Amino acid sequence: MKREFPPVYLALILVAGCVLFRLLNNAYPDYVPNVSPLMALAFVGAMYLPSKWGWLVGPVTLLLTDLAFIKINALTDGSGSMFSWWTAVSFGLYAAVGGFGVWIARKKSLLKILTGSLICSLAFYVVSNTFSWYHDVVIGMTPGYPATWAGWWQAMTIGLPDLPPTWVFLRNGALGDLFFVIVLLFALDRGLLFGHEPSRTAPRPA
């Protein structure tokens, strides 16, 4: 009988691949697309890994990547700055995305997964832009966002002057997340992706 691929090995491969992609994107932005597989990994990975710990794959990958960035910065420009508040907010956000993935996995379908990916992209966009708006208001950056609901809406739509509209980042992020979701489904569950019987590539013990 064919032995099932151990989930922990699958998790290590997915995490290592995501960390490597983000590091390459940081080192070679002109050659590696400015999108990240992290959201797709947090969402889809939680569906196909054991539910007790699969929801942590996104937050753990985030922390490993940030640690690598800190080490690289320390060796290159000497900064080596510690984690920011945004890292803490992101950790909670990716943990919530993982929990959402576990919930979707109970009765998953391709439509639910693709719709869920768009929801996750929108959630990340709203949270990150709200954080950016709040950060500008608190430290008084110039030019910055007004400390009003109009300023918050500006952060959600057109952004700051002389910069691309923030909705462009939502579009690019959502398309990138969908791409990596499809890539992960192709690797983990071709049956679901192509409308056949679900595969058994990645079992989900409780």
Side-chain angles (χ1 to χ4, degrees):
M1 184 175 68
K2 185 178 179 181
R3 179 176 295 180
E4 292 179 336
F5 195 69
V8 66
Y9 292 164
L10 174 62
L12 290 174
I13 292 171
L14 293 175
V15 169
C18 184
V19 170
L20 178 61
F21 186 94
R22 295 188 75 207
L23 291 177
L24 288 174
N25 172 259
N26 182 69
Y28 305 102
D30 293 334
Y31 302 98
V32 182
N34 188 26
V35 292
S36 171
L38 183 54
M39 182 63 73
L41 175 64
F43 182 50
V44 177
M47 297 180 196
Y48 291 91
L49 294 169
S51 57
K52 287 183 179 179
W53 53 266
W55 61 276
L56 281 170
V57 68
V60 168
T61 304
L62 171 72
L63 292 181
L64 288 176
T65 311
D66 282 7
L67 283 171
F69 284 151
I70 289 173
K71 184 64 176 178
I72 290 171
N73 291 339
L75 293 174
T76 54
D77 61 15
S79 62
S81 57
M82 295 300 292
F83 295 116
S84 65
W85 279 108
W86 173 239
T87 300
V89 172
S90 298
F91 184 93
L93 178 61
Y94 284 113
V97 167
F100 184 42
V102 171
W103 181 72
I104 291 287
R106 295 173 183 173
K107 198 173 181 180
K108 61 180 178 291
S109 68
L110 182 59
L111 179 60
K112 288 181 179 179
I113 293 174
L114 296 181
T115 303
S117 175
L118 293 175
I119 292 173
C120 292
S121 301
L122 180 61
F124 180 84
Y125 176 78
V126 171
V127 171
S128 61
N129 279 14
T130 299
F131 185 88
S132 176
W133 167 76
Y134 179 76
H135 186 261
D136 281 6
V137 168
V138 169
I139 69 174
M141 289 181 64
T142 303
Y145 296 114
T148 62
W149 284 112
W152 178 84
W153 184 247
Q154 177 186 345
M156 294 295 142
T157 53
I158 61 174
L160 293 172
D162 301 324
L163 292 175
T166 51
W167 64 263
V168 172
F169 295 98
L170 173 61
R171 180 198 64 191
N172 295 347
L175 291 175
D177 291 342
L178 282 174
F179 171 77
F180 284 111
V181 162
I182 292 172
V183 169
L184 287 175
L185 287 177
F186 183 81
L188 300 175
D189 200 343
R190 293 188 185 97
L192 180 67
L193 182 60
F194 295 116
H196 304 138
E197 289 295 322
S199 70
R200 298 182 180 274
T201 304
R204 278 185 56 86

Coordinates of all heavy atoms in Angstrom, one line a residue, residues 79-138:
S79 N 21.2 47.6 10.3 CA 20.0 48.1 11.0 C 19.5 46.9 11.9 O 19.5 47.0 13.1 CB 18.9 48.5 10.0 OG 18.5 47.4 9.2
G80 N 19.1 45.8 11.3 CA 18.6 44.7 12.1 C 17.5 45.0 13.0 O 17.5 44.6 14.2
S81 N 16.6 45.9 12.6 CA 15.5 46.3 13.5 C 14.6 45.2 14.0 O 14.5 44.2 13.3 CB 14.7 47.4 12.8 OG 14.2 46.9 11.6
M82 N 14.1 45.4 15.1 CA 13.2 44.3 15.7 C 11.8 44.4 15.1 O 11.5 45.3 14.3 CB 13.1 44.6 17.2 CG 14.4 44.3 18.0 SD 15.1 42.7 17.7 CE 13.8 41.7 18.7
F83 N 11.0 43.5 15.5 CA 9.6 43.4 14.9 C 8.9 44.7 15.2 O 9.0 45.3 16.2 CB 8.9 42.2 15.5 CG 9.4 40.9 15.2 CD1 10.0 40.1 16.2 CD2 9.5 40.4 13.9 CE1 10.5 38.8 15.9 CE2 10.0 39.2 13.6 CZ 10.5 38.4 14.6
S84 N 8.0 45.1 14.3 CA 7.2 46.2 14.4 C 5.8 45.8 14.9 O 5.5 44.6 14.9 CB 7.1 47.0 13.1 OG 6.4 46.2 12.1
W85 N 5.0 46.8 15.2 CA 3.6 46.6 15.5 C 2.9 45.9 14.3 O 2.0 45.1 14.5 CB 2.9 47.9 15.9 CG 3.2 48.3 17.3 CD1 3.9 49.3 17.8 CD2 2.6 47.6 18.5 NE1 3.9 49.3 19.2 CE2 3.1 48.3 19.6 CE3 1.8 46.5 18.7 CZ2 2.9 47.9 20.9 CZ3 1.5 46.1 20.0 CH2 2.0 46.9 21.1
W86 N 3.3 46.3 13.1 CA 2.6 45.7 12.0 C 2.9 44.2 11.9 O 2.0 43.4 11.5 CB 3.1 46.4 10.7 CG 2.6 45.7 9.4 CD1 3.4 45.2 8.4 CD2 1.3 45.5 9.1 NE1 2.6 44.6 7.5 CE2 1.3 44.8 7.8 CE3 0.0 45.8 9.7 CZ2 0.1 44.4 7.2 CZ3 -1.1 45.4 9.0 CH2 -1.1 44.8 7.8
T87 N 4.0 43.7 12.4 CA 4.3 42.3 12.4 C 3.3 41.6 13.3 O 2.8 40.5 13.0 CB 5.7 42.0 12.9 OG1 6.7 42.6 12.0 CG2 6.0 40.5 12.9
A88 N 3.0 42.2 14.5 CA 2.1 41.6 15.4 C 0.7 41.6 14.8 O 0.0 40.6 15.0 CB 2.1 42.4 16.7
V89 N 0.3 42.7 14.2 CA -1.0 42.8 13.5 C -1.1 41.7 12.4 O -2.1 41.0 12.3 CB -1.3 44.2 13.0 CG1 -2.6 44.2 12.1 CG2 -1.4 45.2 14.1
S90 N -0.1 41.6 11.6 CA -0.1 40.6 10.6 C -0.1 39.2 11.1 O -0.8 38.3 10.5 CB 1.2 40.8 9.7 OG 1.3 42.0 9.1
F91 N 0.5 38.9 12.2 CA 0.5 37.6 12.8 C -1.0 37.2 13.1 O -1.4 36.1 12.8 CB 1.4 37.5 14.1 CG 1.4 36.2 14.7 CD1 2.5 35.3 14.3 CD2 0.5 35.7 15.6 CE1 2.6 34.1 14.9 CE2 0.6 34.5 16.2 CZ 1.6 33.6 15.8
G92 N -1.7 38.1 13.8 CA -3.1 37.9 14.1 C -3.9 37.7 12.9 O -4.8 36.9 12.8
L93 N -3.7 38.5 11.8 CA -4.4 38.5 10.6 C -4.3 37.1 9.9 O -5.2 36.5 9.5 CB -4.0 39.6 9.7 CG -4.8 39.6 8.3 CD1 -6.3 39.8 8.5 CD2 -4.2 40.8 7.5
Y94 N -3.0 36.6 9.8 CA -2.8 35.4 9.1 C -3.3 34.2 10.0 O -3.7 33.2 9.4 CB -1.3 35.2 8.8 CG -0.9 36.0 7.6 CD1 0.0 37.1 7.8 CD2 -1.3 35.8 6.3 CE1 0.4 37.9 6.7 CE2 -1.0 36.5 5.3 CZ -0.1 37.6 5.4 OH 0.3 38.4 4.4
A95 N -3.3 34.3 11.3 CA -3.8 33.3 12.1 C -5.4 33.2 11.9 O -5.9 32.1 11.8 CB -3.5 33.6 13.6
A96 N -6.0 34.4 11.7 CA -7.4 34.4 11.5 C -7.7 33.8 10.1 O -8.7 33.1 9.9 CB -8.0 35.8 11.5
V97 N -6.9 34.1 9.1 CA -7.0 33.5 7.8 C -6.9 32.0 7.8 O -7.7 31.2 7.2 CB -6.0 34.1 6.8 CG1 -5.9 33.3 5.5 CG2 -6.3 35.5 6.5
G98 N -6.0 31.5 8.7 CA -5.8 30.1 8.8 C -7.1 29.4 9.5 O -7.5 28.4 9.0
G99 N -7.6 30.1 10.4 CA -8.9 29.6 11.0 C -10.0 29.6 10.0 O -10.8 28.7 10.0
F100 N -10.0 30.6 9.2 CA -11.0 30.6 8.1 C -10.9 29.5 7.1 O -11.8 28.8 6.7 CB -10.9 32.0 7.4 CG -11.9 32.2 6.3 CD1 -13.3 31.9 6.5 CD2 -11.6 32.8 5.1 CE1 -14.2 32.1 5.5 CE2 -12.5 33.0 4.1 CZ -13.8 32.7 4.3
G101 N -9.6 29.1 6.8 CA -9.3 28.0 6.0 C -9.8 26.7 6.6 O -10.3 25.8 5.9
V102 N -9.5 26.5 7.9 CA -10.0 25.3 8.6 C -11.5 25.2 8.5 O -12.1 24.1 8.3 CB -9.5 25.4 10.1 CG1 -10.2 24.2 10.9 CG2 -8.0 25.3 10.2
W103 N -12.2 26.3 8.7 CA -13.7 26.3 8.6 C -14.1 26.0 7.2 O -15.1 25.2 7.1 CB -14.2 27.7 9.0 CG -15.7 27.8 9.0 CD1 -16.6 27.2 9.9 CD2 -16.5 28.5 8.0 NE1 -17.9 27.6 9.5 CE2 -17.8 28.3 8.4 CE3 -16.2 29.3 6.9 CZ2 -18.9 28.9 7.7 CZ3 -17.2 29.8 6.2 CH2 -18.5 29.6 6.6
I104 N -13.5 26.5 6.2 CA -13.9 26.2 4.8 C -13.6 24.8 4.5 O -14.4 24.1 3.7 CB -13.1 27.1 3.8 CG1 -13.5 28.6 3.9 CG2 -13.2 26.6 2.4 CD1 -14.9 28.9 3.3
A105 N -12.6 24.2 5.1 CA -12.2 22.8 4.8 C -13.3 21.8 5.2 O -13.3 20.7 4.7 CB -10.9 22.5 5.5
R106 N -14.2 22.2 6.1 CA -15.2 21.2 6.5 C -16.1 20.8 5.4 O -16.6 19.6 5.4 CB -16.0 21.8 7.7 CG -15.2 22.1 8.9 CD -16.0 22.9 9.9 NE -15.2 23.2 11.1 CZ -15.7 24.0 12.1 NH1 -16.9 24.5 12.0 NH2 -14.9 24.3 13.1
K107 N -16.3 21.7 4.5 CA -17.1 21.3 3.3 C -16.7 22.2 2.2 O -17.4 23.1 1.7 CB -18.6 21.6 3.6 CG -19.6 20.8 2.7 CD -21.0 20.9 3.1 CE -21.9 20.2 2.1 NZ -23.4 20.3 2.6
K108 N -15.5 22.0 1.7 CA -14.9 22.8 0.7 C -15.3 22.5 -0.7 O -15.7 21.4 -1.0 CB -13.3 22.8 0.8 CG -12.7 21.4 0.5 CD -11.2 21.5 0.6 CE -10.5 20.2 0.4 NZ -10.8 19.2 1.5
S109 N -15.3 23.6 -1.5 CA -15.5 23.5 -2.9 C -14.7 24.5 -3.6 O -14.1 25.4 -2.9 CB -17.0 23.7 -3.3 OG -17.3 25.1 -3.0
L110 N -14.5 24.3 -4.9 CA -13.6 25.3 -5.6 C -14.2 26.7 -5.5 O -13.4 27.7 -5.3 CB -13.5 24.9 -7.1 CG -12.5 25.7 -7.9 CD1 -11.1 25.8 -7.4 CD2 -12.5 25.2 -9.4
L111 N -15.5 26.8 -5.6 CA -16.1 28.2 -5.6 C -15.9 28.8 -4.2 O -15.5 30.0 -4.1 CB -17.6 28.1 -5.9 CG -18.4 29.4 -5.8 CD1 -17.8 30.4 -6.8 CD2 -19.9 29.2 -6.0
K112 N -16.0 28.0 -3.1 CA -15.8 28.5 -1.8 C -14.4 28.9 -1.6 O -14.1 30.0 -0.9 CB -16.2 27.5 -0.7 CG -17.7 27.2 -0.6 CD -18.0 26.2 0.5 CE -19.5 25.9 0.6 NZ -19.7 24.9 1.6
I113 N -13.5 28.2 -2.1 CA -12.0 28.5 -1.9 C -11.7 29.8 -2.7 O -11.0 30.6 -2.1 CB -11.2 27.3 -2.4 CG1 -11.4 26.1 -1.5 CG2 -9.7 27.7 -2.4 CD1 -10.7 24.8 -1.9
L114 N -12.1 29.9 -3.9 CA -11.8 31.1 -4.7 C -12.5 32.3 -4.1 O -11.9 33.4 -4.0 CB -12.2 30.9 -6.1 CG -11.5 29.8 -6.9 CD1 -12.0 29.8 -8.3 CD2 -10.0 30.0 -6.9
T115 N -13.7 32.2 -3.6 CA -14.4 33.3 -3.0 C -13.7 33.6 -1.7 O -13.5 34.8 -1.3 CB -15.9 33.0 -2.7 OG1 -16.5 32.6 -3.9 CG2 -16.6 34.1 -2.1
G116 N -13.3 32.6 -0.9 CA -12.6 32.8 0.3 C -11.3 33.5 0.1 O -10.9 34.4 0.9
S117 N -10.6 33.2 -1.0 CA -9.3 33.9 -1.3 C -9.6 35.4 -1.5 O -8.8 36.2 -1.0 CB -8.7 33.3 -2.6 OG -7.6 34.0 -3.0
L118 N -10.6 35.7 -2.2 CA -10.9 37.2 -2.4 C -11.3 37.9 -1.1 O -10.9 39.0 -0.9 CB -12.1 37.3 -3.4 CG -11.8 36.9 -4.9 CD1 -13.1 36.9 -5.7 CD2 -10.7 37.7 -5.5
I119 N -12.0 37.2 -0.2 CA -12.3 37.7 1.1 C -11.1 38.0 1.9 O -10.9 39.0 2.5 CB -13.3 36.8 1.8 CG1 -14.7 36.8 1.1 CG2 -13.4 37.2 3.3 CD1 -15.6 35.7 1.7
C120 N -10.1 37.0 1.8 CA -8.9 37.2 2.6 C -8.1 38.4 2.0 O -7.5 39.1 2.8 CB -8.1 35.9 2.5 SG -8.8 34.5 3.4
S121 N -8.1 38.5 0.7 CA -7.3 39.6 0.1 C -7.9 40.9 0.5 O -7.2 41.9 0.8 CB -7.4 39.5 -1.5 OG -6.8 38.3 -1.9
L122 N -9.2 41.0 0.5 CA -9.9 42.2 0.9 C -9.7 42.6 2.4 O -9.4 43.7 2.7 CB -11.4 42.1 0.6 CG -12.3 43.4 1.0 CD1 -11.8 44.6 0.2 CD2 -13.8 43.1 0.8
A123 N -9.7 41.5 3.2 CA -9.4 41.7 4.6 C -8.0 42.3 4.9 O -7.8 43.2 5.7 CB -9.6 40.4 5.4
F124 N -7.0 41.7 4.2 CA -5.7 42.1 4.3 C -5.5 43.6 3.9 O -4.9 44.4 4.5 CB -4.7 41.3 3.5 CG -3.3 41.7 3.6 CD1 -2.5 41.2 4.6 CD2 -2.7 42.5 2.6 CE1 -1.2 41.6 4.7 CE2 -1.4 42.9 2.7 CZ -0.6 42.4 3.8
Y125 N -6.2 43.9 2.8 CA -6.2 45.3 2.2 C -6.7 46.3 3.2 O -6.1 47.3 3.5 CB -6.9 45.3 0.9 CG -7.1 46.7 0.3 CD1 -6.0 47.2 -0.4 CD2 -8.2 47.4 0.4 CE1 -6.1 48.4 -1.0 CE2 -8.3 48.6 -0.2 CZ -7.3 49.2 -0.9 OH -7.4 50.4 -1.5
V126 N -7.9 46.0 3.8 CA -8.5 46.9 4.7 C -7.7 47.0 6.0 O -7.5 48.2 6.5 CB -10.0 46.4 5.1 CG1 -10.6 47.2 6.2 CG2 -10.9 46.5 3.8
V127 N -7.2 45.9 6.5 CA -6.4 46.0 7.7 C -5.1 46.7 7.5 O -4.7 47.6 8.3 CB -6.1 44.6 8.3 CG1 -5.1 44.6 9.4 CG2 -7.4 43.9 8.7
S128 N -4.4 46.4 6.4 CA -3.1 47.1 6.2 C -3.3 48.6 5.9 O -2.5 49.4 6.4 CB -2.4 46.4 5.0 OG -3.1 46.4 3.8
N129 N -4.3 48.9 5.1 CA -4.5 50.4 4.8 C -5.0 51.1 6.1 O -4.7 52.3 6.2 CB -5.4 50.5 3.7 CG -4.8 50.3 2.3 OD1 -3.6 49.8 2.3 ND2 -5.4 50.7 1.3
T130 N -5.8 50.5 6.9 CA -6.2 51.1 8.1 C -5.0 51.3 9.0 O -4.9 52.4 9.7 CB -7.3 50.2 8.9 OG1 -8.4 50.1 8.0 CG2 -7.7 50.9 10.2
F131 N -4.1 50.4 9.1 CA -2.9 50.5 9.9 C -2.1 51.7 9.4 O -1.5 52.5 10.1 CB -2.1 49.2 9.9 CG -0.9 49.2 10.8 CD1 -1.0 48.9 12.1 CD2 0.3 49.6 10.3 CE1 0.1 48.9 13.0 CE2 1.5 49.6 11.1 CZ 1.3 49.3 12.4
S132 N -1.9 51.7 8.0 CA -1.2 52.8 7.4 C -1.8 54.2 7.7 O -1.0 55.1 8.1 CB -1.1 52.6 5.9 OG -0.4 53.6 5.3
W133 N -3.1 54.3 7.6 CA -3.8 55.5 7.9 C -3.6 55.9 9.4 O -3.2 57.0 9.7 CB -5.3 55.4 7.6 CG -6.1 56.4 8.2 CD1 -6.3 57.7 7.7 CD2 -7.0 56.4 9.4 NE1 -7.2 58.4 8.5 CE2 -7.6 57.6 9.5 CE3 -7.2 55.3 10.3 CZ2 -8.5 57.9 10.6 CZ3 -8.1 55.6 11.3 CH2 -8.7 56.9 11.4
Y134 N -3.7 54.9 10.3 CA -3.6 55.2 11.7 C -2.1 55.6 12.0 O -1.9 56.5 12.8 CB -4.0 54.0 12.5 CG -3.8 54.1 14.0 CD1 -4.7 54.9 14.8 CD2 -2.8 53.5 14.7 CE1 -4.6 55.0 16.1 CE2 -2.6 53.7 16.0 CZ -3.5 54.4 16.8 OH -3.4 54.6 18.1
H135 N -1.2 54.9 11.4 CA 0.2 55.2 11.6 C 0.6 56.6 11.2 O 1.2 57.4 11.9 CB 1.1 54.2 10.8 CG 2.5 54.3 11.0 ND1 3.4 55.0 10.2 CD2 3.3 53.8 12.0 CE1 4.6 54.9 10.7 NE2 4.6 54.2 11.8
D136 N 0.1 57.0 10.0 CA 0.3 58.4 9.6 C -0.3 59.4 10.5 O 0.3 60.5 10.8 CB -0.3 58.6 8.2 CG 0.6 58.0 7.1 OD1 1.6 57.4 7.5 OD2 0.3 58.2 5.9
V137 N -1.5 59.1 11.0 CA -2.2 60.1 11.9 C -1.5 60.2 13.2 O -1.3 61.3 13.7 CB -3.7 59.6 12.2 CG1 -4.3 60.4 13.3 CG2 -4.5 59.7 10.9
V138 N -1.0 59.1 13.7 CA -0.3 59.1 15.1 C 1.0 59.8 15.0 O 1.3 60.7 15.9 CB -0.2 57.7 15.6 CG1 0.8 57.6 16.8 CG2 -1.5 57.1 16.0

